[in-house]
Amino acid sequence: MSKPSPEVYEQGRGMDAHNQVMRELRAEKGNKEYDPHEPTRVWLDEDNTPDGVYQSLTIILNTGGCRWARAGGCTMCGYVAESVEGGSVGHDALMDQIQACLDHEAEEADDESGLVKIYTSGSFLDEREVPAETRSAIADTFADRERIVVESLPDFVEAERVSDFTDVGLETDVAVGLETATDRVRHDCVNKYFDFADFEDAAAEARSVGAGVKAYLLMKPPFLSESEAVADMKTSVEKCAAVEGCHTVSMNPTNVQRYTMVDQLHFRGGYRPPWLWSVAEVLEETADEDVIVVSDPVGNGSDRGPHNCGECDDLVYEAIKDFDLRQDPSVFEEVSCECELTHDAVLERETAYNLPLAE
């Protein structure tokens, strides 16, 4: 399976240029420090799963950051800018972060969450980010919950690592940042080194110990027109649904994060985040696939996030979140706006080699 080494994956793949630009952009962030004993973020929400809707506790651990991002990384991802300098965080500090998240849950929720989701802005299963000792301790900490989601690049999805969670009786899902089922788009637009076949291998590895897979897709990475982005997402949902063990697809529109190539393009008028109408179209037209399809438009309604005209953004966003829980495409029949005509024109006329037709 692919290994995230820039020495291997830059050579002959055109990734050297992307990575060089990304390293330069990340260097602009300065020397802001983050407390290794405090999580990056923690919040409570609701999530749709194969076993129904759960209250969820979402945790983003503050680790040394994504290994691939330190090589250069994805064109749209600025999360490594929030990671602890030095490349690693010790076991005790990571467990302090877990305790801080449990304290937050106790203060904000009436009951413990049935679903726990753990992210690192990298790969939870990468033992350079989260040591084996910590992974096992976290599994024990949440053994009394019903379901857990951990995020990882395909490289680190190994049966032995995933079984820490399945062995304590947790329904376990491995979330993989696939971004797209189209290898060329993943390589050239997202600057991610692995292939769709690697995702299929990771799903098989997770399945071997009784775990499921949740695929994260990225709507409209840079260098795609709006119509190309919509078509790519429809195809990607269909292909993910055909992978055994992949029961959920989270199709998320790109938002403009600092210290990224997308940020540079957006600043120069060369990138517009996707329309919320595009998100709705993909969800509506893939609703019949044999997979749960959800979306979480971060930065909804802002210039740097997925948006429509400004007048209907909140209504369409609420319809998307309603669809996430009920999987009923009829919710999109209840929202409309004059800007749908502009969106239709963009889909018909915008080309990838031009600037965005509409803000």
Side-chain angles (χ1 to χ4, degrees), residues 106-288:
E107 292 172 3
E108 300 295 330
D110 295 331
D111 302 301
E112 289 186 340
S113 303
L115 171 64
V116 177
K117 303 190 296 181
I118 305 182
Y119 306 93
T120 67
S121 301
S123 291
F124 179 86
L125 297 178
D126 180 355
E127 293 185 348
R128 192 169 74 173
E129 287 193 61
V130 180
E133 174 189 12
T134 310
R135 185 178 67 240
S136 177
I138 291 174
D140 290 339
T141 298
F142 294 111
D144 61 342
R145 308 298 176 100
E146 295 180 55
R147 196 175 199 101
I148 194 164
V149 176
V150 295
E151 185 179 33
S152 179
L153 287 167
D155 312 66
F156 311 109
V157 181
E158 298 178 3
E160 181 180 0
R161 300 180 186 188
V162 178
S163 65
D164 280 347
F165 301 96
T166 57
D167 285 351
V168 298
L170 280 165
E171 290 292 329
T172 304
D173 297 318
V174 179
V176 177
L178 175 64
E179 316 306 358
T180 170
T182 309
D183 289 341
R184 183 174 181 181
V185 173
R186 190 182 318 99
H187 294 163
D188 295 348
C189 299
V190 183
N191 196 44
K192 220 160 199 172
Y193 57 86
F194 63 84
D195 296 333
F196 187 72
D198 294 329
F199 170 74
E200 294 176 304
D201 290 344
E205 192 78 7
R207 195 170 64 247
S208 72
V209 291
V213 169
K214 181 178 183 179
Y216 278 94
L217 299 181
L218 181 74
M219 168 171 271
K220 201 179 179 185
F223 316 121
L224 294 186
S225 68
E226 193 80 15
S227 62
E228 289 171 332
V230 169
D232 180 58
M233 287 295 96
K234 292 177 183 177
T235 300
S236 295
V237 171
E238 180 180 354
K239 288 185 176 180
C240 288
V243 175
E244 188 176 356
C246 180
H247 55 66
T248 301
V249 174
S250 182
M251 190 276 299
N252 297 312
T254 301
N255 63 89
V256 182
Q257 299 178 12
R258 296 187 65 192
Y259 313 115
T260 65
M261 189 180 294
V262 168
D263 187 27
Q264 293 293 302
L265 290 169
H266 179 259
F267 178 75
R268 291 167 172 78
Y271 180 80
R272 183 205 192 277
W275 289 69
L276 290 168
W277 291 125
S278 294
V279 178
E281 178 177 333
V282 174
L283 295 175
E284 186 171 15
E285 294 196 14
T286 60
D288 290 337

Side-chain angles (χ1 to χ4, degrees), residues 48 249 279-280 282-288 291-295 316-332:
N48 201 345
V249 174
V279 178
V282 174
L283 295 175
E284 186 171 15
E285 294 196 14
T286 60
D288 290 337
V291 66
I292 297 170
V293 186
V294 297
S295 185
V316 180
Y317 174 81
E318 289 302 323
I320 291 168
K321 300 313 292 179
D322 188 4
F323 176 86
D324 287 353
L325 298 180
R326 297 197 291 128
Q327 298 288 286
D328 181 0
S330 69
V331 299
F332 298 117

Side-chain angles (χ1 to χ4, degrees), residues 219-220 225-231 234 272-285 306-309 312-313 316 336-351 357-359:
M219 168 171 271
K220 201 179 179 185
S225 68
E226 193 80 15
S227 62
E228 289 171 332
V230 169
K234 292 177 183 177
R272 183 205 192 277
W275 289 69
L276 290 168
W277 291 125
S278 294
V279 178
E281 178 177 333
V282 174
L283 295 175
E284 186 171 15
E285 294 196 14
H307 61 276
N308 290 339
C309 66
C312 64
D313 292 356
V316 180
S336 63
C337 182
E338 292 181 357
C339 74
E340 287 180 88
L341 295 175
T342 304
H343 175 251
D344 290 342
V346 167
L347 290 178
E348 180 181 353
R349 301 176 186 177
E350 185 178 87
T351 56
L357 288 183
E359 291 298 318

